[in-house]
Amino acid sequence: MYSKKIRISMSKIISGFSKFTKEEKIAWLANNYFQKNTNATAIIKQYFNEDEKLQQLHDDFIENTISNFYLPMGVAPNFVINNKTYAIPMVIEESSVVAAASLVAKFWSTRGGFKTTVLGTTKIGQVHFMFAGKKADLASYFNKNKTELYAATASITKNMEKRGGGILDIQLVDKTDKLDNYYQLHVTFETKDSMGANFINSCLEAIANQFRNDTIEIVMSILSNYVPECLVRAEVSCKVEELGGENPQKFAQKFEQAVKIAAIEPYRAVTHNKGIMNGIDAVVLATGNDFRAIEAGAHAYASRNGTYSSLSYCTIENNIFRFWMDIPLALGTVGGLTALHPLAKLSLKMLQKPSAQELMQIIAAAGLAQNFAALRALTTKGIQHGHMKMHLQNILNQLGATNREKVIVEEYFKEKTVSHAAVVSKFEAIKNTVNWVDFNDEIKLKHVLDPLKPDTKPVFGKMNAQQMIEHLGFILRISNGRIQADSFVEEEKSERRKIFLDSAEELKVGFKPAVLSEEPTPVKYASLEKAIEDLFIQIVKFHEHFKTAKLENHPFFGELDYSGWIKFHTKHFTHHFKQFNLI
């Protein structure tokens, strides 16, 4: 059955895709869009959850599921909101957002915290219809049947009314000045702790069915994501001097100016409000709410006066800095994804099981914190200073930097401006500069060897960790005269090869003098620790040996003096330490 379906479905236009199993969907994609790339298929399957029941739960959230798409989940602690302390979960892929929210939360926690107030919780739904008759007749019909419209929803609103919610009002709205024959039934709702989308839409359809007649053409019945009366305010304030910094008065003035610019300049306002939504969307996602509805409603509210404007405000009066925001947030803490997604449920538990109104206040505070962080950065060091510092790790990960390389780059950019080009340039410079091992410095050498464990895997080659250490010890024994390297190297070859020892080049992967066997030599010592002890003994003996010795034969480079052997051991140690990712 499977192979037949796949043969039929080689075309990119397909019927019955939804009836395929998940494996069949992935196979069809691989054949048609991934050029039968097994790596693409492996990546898709890599994100399956091992718990089959949990995976099935995720599969059922949407249609045609092929895998899970992970986003990082972080926590911003130290939020004090109305004198209550929160750790706020945030789900977002953009670096610096969680860090910025956390820093600002801590900053305001010692200045009174965030003060929040729910200004309204009313939600909107509309029945859109066309009517070509007399307006007076429509008004009379509506008034006569209004009670029946409420009654038509009685079975739906019963449980909601027990919780204090339900339909608040139904109004007839004339929109014929905008569109011929167009009217609305504008319905307001209170949905308490539920976001209420299904509840509202069910009520609207029942109202529409009751209201329709031969002269009324129902176009559609649907909730609105524009909820200007489901509103919450979040604010912070303090004395100007409490803002801190070198010149708090100057900072406050520039901050206020930045907010005022966003109030009158739409190009700036869009980015200004995007920063607010960075904080809001992250918590909305973490709690299983609809971030797209929140986004749409917020941006519509920002345009309510006919021009797109800032959602936040700032004043400095009587030496008091005040920064606040009013934003519509239609949220739920029961039902929907909040009741299904395990991490959404955990997020709400982390937030101490808030009501919908409490969640409105928490999320508004997160949005205001993010806006404050962005404006503070913009009016002081610039937005890229902080953002690119956070982005530095992403760049280094993309470049495949080792831990050592990351430390060097991070230290280099501590007081410098981070840009992608500058990071790449510094990284390449490090890669081109070999970090040679100083095998004569016992303390540093022990520090470098600390991470080496018996089960540490090599980056290349066949040797295990202990075999590598014993191999270094074996070559040291050759250099200190305890083992004779009988392999003769012609003088001409020797001189030509010694040029390499004076160069900045490293030993190439696969370098092996003919005297050494293809397979690693079995270990000699009882443990890795014993092998390392012997390594340090052989280093000491090497230096002691050349107090009297002049030359010792190397199986590849020929006879080397003390200086030549030091150059070789430096390259040799570096080569094998890189083999086990120690440097």
Side-chain angles (χ1 to χ4, degrees):
M1 184 67 176
Y2 167 76
S3 59
K4 181 181 177 182
K5 282 183 179 177
I6 295 303
R7 283 198 300 272
I8 291 171
S9 304
M10 286 303 289
S11 167
K12 292 185 179 182
I13 303 300
I14 184 169
S15 297
F17 183 72
S18 63
K19 294 182 174 60
F20 283 9
T21 66
K22 186 158 61 178
E23 290 288 341
E24 289 169 344
K25 290 184 180 82
I26 294 169
W28 181 84
L29 287 169
N31 282 328
N32 285 279
Y33 290 96
F34 300 139
Q35 292 75 49
K36 299 183 180 180
N37 186 331
T38 55
N39 184 52
T41 301
I43 290 171
I44 290 172
K45 293 183 177 181
Q46 181 182 353
Y47 285 87
F48 288 0
N49 198 296
E50 292 180 358
D51 186 323
E52 290 184 6
K53 287 185 178 179
L54 187 58
Q55 182 57 56
Q56 188 61 52
L57 175 69
H58 284 73
D59 286 350
D60 292 341
F61 286 156
I62 61 169
E63 308 75 34
N64 293 340
T65 308
I66 60 167
S67 191
N68 306 307
F69 190 100
Y70 295 167
L71 289 175
M73 181 177 181
V75 176
N78 302 318
F79 268 88
V80 176
I81 305 171
N82 296 337
N83 300 318
K84 186 175 180 179
T85 304
Y86 294 89
I88 297 183
M90 305 181 83
V91 173
I92 193 167
E93 86 297 341
E94 185 172 330
S95 59
S96 82
V97 170
V98 178
S102 302
L103 286 171
V104 170
K106 190 172 184 180
F107 176 86
W108 283 108
S109 69
T110 59
R111 293 164 175 82
F114 294 82
K115 304 300 179 187
T116 57
T117 308
V118 173
L119 304 177
T121 57
T122 301
K123 297 168 187 174
I124 305 298
Q126 295 169 321
V127 177
H128 304 269
F129 68 94
M130 313 303 286
F131 175 75
K134 294 180 181 179
K135 293 182 181 182
D137 291 345
L138 180 62
S140 175
Y141 176 76
F142 169 73
N143 291 325
K144 182 179 178 181
N145 288 279
K146 189 172 182 179
T147 302
E148 297 302 318
L149 299 181
Y150 283 102
T153 66
S155 62
I156 304 169
T157 60
K158 182 180 179 181
N159 289 333
M160 184 65 75
E161 287 171 353
K162 288 179 180 178
R163 301 201 301 270
I167 298 173
L168 302 179
D169 192 17
I170 305 174
Q171 296 177 348
L172 175 64
V173 179
D174 184 347
K175 289 282 185 176
T176 55
D177 61 327
K178 306 286 186 183
L179 179 64
D180 289 346
N181 303 325
Y182 170 43
Y183 296 85
Q184 301 171 353
L185 293 182
H186 188 86
V187 189
T188 52
F189 296 85
E190 171 58 67
T191 61
K192 304 308 286 183
D193 288 336
S194 169
M195 194 281 170
N198 290 330
F199 168 76
I200 291 172
N201 288 334
S202 296
C203 287
L204 293 173
E205 289 182 3
I207 289 169
N209 287 332
Q210 180 64 34
F211 191 65
R212 73 173 73 243
N213 64 25
D214 293 340
T215 62
I216 293 174
E217 180 189 354
I218 303 294
V219 178
M220 57 184 169
S221 308
I222 186 71
L223 89 164
S224 173
N225 290 128
Y226 182 41
V227 284
E229 294 178 5
C230 187
L231 202 63
V232 60
R233 172 173 295 171
E235 65 178 281
V236 289
S237 63
C238 68
K239 292 179 180 178
V240 171
E241 57 267 26
E242 292 175 355
L243 289 169
E246 294 180 5
N247 191 336
Q249 188 68 43
K250 181 65 175 175
F251 165 71
Q253 289 171 352
K254 285 187 71 176
F255 192 101
E256 182 188 29
Q257 288 164 352
V259 177
K260 286 181 176 179
I261 288 170
I264 57 94
E265 173 49 68
Y267 283 93
R268 170 60 199 142
V270 170
T271 309
H272 178 96
N273 290 342
K274 187 269 183 184
I276 292 172
M277 302 315 292
N278 276 344
I280 286 177
D281 285 351
V283 193
V284 172
L285 267 171
T287 55
N289 276 276
D290 187 347
F291 75 93
R292 299 158 304 278
I294 296 299
E295 280 274 355
H299 294 304
Y301 189 74
S303 305
R304 66 192 182 281
N305 295 322
T307 302
Y308 191 90
S309 182
S310 167
L311 286 165
S312 60
Y313 308 87
C314 180
T315 59
I316 304 170
E317 296 176 356
N318 300 320
N319 199 42
I320 298 297
F321 171 89
R322 181 176 176 238
F323 180 52
W324 77 98
M325 172 180 68
D326 293 346
I327 189 166
L329 294 174
L331 301 164
T333 56
V334 297
L337 204 63
T338 60
L340 289 173
H341 199 296
L343 283 175
K345 291 193 286 187
L346 203 63
S347 291
L348 291 170
K349 187 174 183 180
M350 187 189 305
L351 293 172
Q352 302 164 68
K353 298 181 179 179
S355 65
Q357 288 196 30
E358 288 170 333
L359 186 59
M360 287 172 69
Q361 295 172 80
I362 292 166
I363 291 179
L368 191 69
Q370 197 61 39
N371 196 207
F372 182 87
L375 290 170
R376 181 169 64 175
L378 281 167
T379 55
T380 52
K381 293 182 178 180
I383 197 70
Q384 287 302 93
H385 180 83
H387 180 76
M388 292 307 292
K389 289 282 186 183
M390 293 299 299
H391 193 49
L392 180 59
Q393 283 297 322
N394 289 342
I395 299 172
L396 291 172
N397 287 335
Q398 289 169 10
L399 293 171
T402 64
N403 289 335
R404 182 189 71 85
E405 290 162 348
K406 286 179 180 179
V407 170
I408 293 171
V409 174
E410 287 166 3
E411 186 65 27
Y412 177 79
F413 282 103
K414 265 188 177 179
E415 301 300 328
K416 293 180 176 65
T417 300
V418 176
S419 72
H420 190 276
V423 174
V424 171
S425 177
K426 180 62 180 176
F427 176 73
E428 289 178 347
I430 293 169
K431 294 295 285 187
N432 293 330
T433 303
V434 181
N435 181 34
W436 298 110
V437 173
D438 183 0
F439 72 98
N440 297 312
D441 190 325
E442 183 177 346
I443 294 174
K444 284 185 179 179
L445 197 61
K446 285 181 177 178
H447 179 71
V448 173
L449 285 169
D450 274 345
L452 190 67
K453 306 298 177 191
D455 59 353
T456 301
K457 301 297 182 185
V459 177
F460 57 85
K462 299 178 181 179
M463 288 191 288
N464 62 34
Q466 185 170 337
Q467 287 170 332
M468 182 271 288
I469 294 295
E470 292 190 12
H471 168 70
L472 291 175
F474 173 77
I475 301 299
L476 278 164
R477 281 183 170 84
I478 293 176
S479 68
N480 62 31
R482 292 173 64 83
I483 295 177
Q484 296 300 313
D486 296 328
S487 180
F488 175 73
V489 182
E490 296 174 3
E491 186 175 349
E492 183 183 345
K493 282 186 179 180
S494 175
E495 292 305 313
R496 190 168 63 246
R497 291 173 179 177
K498 286 176 184 177
I499 294 171
F500 168 77
L501 295 178
D502 290 318
S503 75
E505 292 184 56
E506 297 180 75
L507 289 172
K508 298 292 188 291
V509 173
F511 171 79
K512 188 187 295 289
V515 69
L516 298 178
S517 63
E518 285 297 320
E519 295 299 318
T521 303
V523 295
K524 173 182 176 182
Y525 292 98
S527 67
L528 175 61
E529 289 76 11
K530 292 291 184 184
I532 291 173
E533 283 179 19
D534 176 71
L535 181 69
F536 284 98
I537 291 170
Q538 298 310 320
I539 291 171
V540 171
K541 288 185 176 181
F542 162 69
H543 295 300
E544 289 176 348
H545 179 66
F546 271 96
K547 287 178 180 178
T548 55
K550 300 297 181 183
L551 298 168
E552 284 295 344
N553 189 49
H554 187 283
F556 181 79
F557 292 100
E559 292 200 332
L560 298 176
D561 61 11
Y562 182 54
S563 173
W565 272 106
I566 286 178
K567 291 172 186 176
F568 172 76
H569 284 314
T570 298
K571 289 180 183 285
H572 196 223
F573 271 70
T574 301
H575 174 75
H576 285 293
F577 280 20
K578 281 191 171 184
Q579 181 185 12
F580 284 82
N581 209 22
L582 297 172
I583 58 171

